[in-house]
Amino acid sequence: MKHIIYGLASVLTTDDAAYAVLDYAAALAQAGLADTVHVPTVDRWGMNTTSSLLLAPAIGVLVQGAPDDELQPDTAGFITELRWRTRAVQTAG
């Protein structure tokens, strides 16, 4: 599990989802673009939820390790979509 730290807040998600967000944020920054993503996350009570993030060139995103959680959100579809978006941004330039 990883924390995605965004501004003064952090959200908890799977390792793969966090790195997909980081890769997409980097691709967007390199292209000078922005987008919104809806990340499957786990709240402080261990319940699955969704966190929405605006990814833009001037907004920093940090991924930090977190203890594993048995109640990991299902992120497979999210990761597939974000990898597709990342490739689209990288090949469009």
Side-chain angles (χ1 to χ4, degrees):
M1 297 294 287
K2 297 283 189 243
H3 289 287
I4 299 175
I5 301 171
Y6 185 84
L8 299 176
S10 73
V11 295
L12 184 63
T13 191
T14 64
D15 291 7
D16 290 341
Y19 289 125
V21 168
L22 200 58
D23 291 343
Y24 187 44
L28 288 170
Q30 290 170 352
L33 299 171
D35 197 5
T36 302
V37 294
H38 307 285
V39 186
T41 57
V42 177
D43 67 17
R44 68 179 112 184
W45 297 280
M47 301 298 296
N48 289 334
T49 189
T50 301
S51 299
S52 299
L53 304 175
L54 170 65
L55 302 178
I59 300 173
V61 177
L62 170 69
V63 171
Q64 188 175 53
D68 284 336
D69 189 325
E70 293 179 16
L71 301 174
Q72 293 187 20
D74 178 16
T75 58
F78 170 77
I79 293 166
T80 300
E81 179 184 341
L82 219 55
R83 287 184 179 152
W84 178 86
R85 287 190 198 184
T86 301
R87 282 191 299 276
V89 169
Q90 291 170 334
T91 59

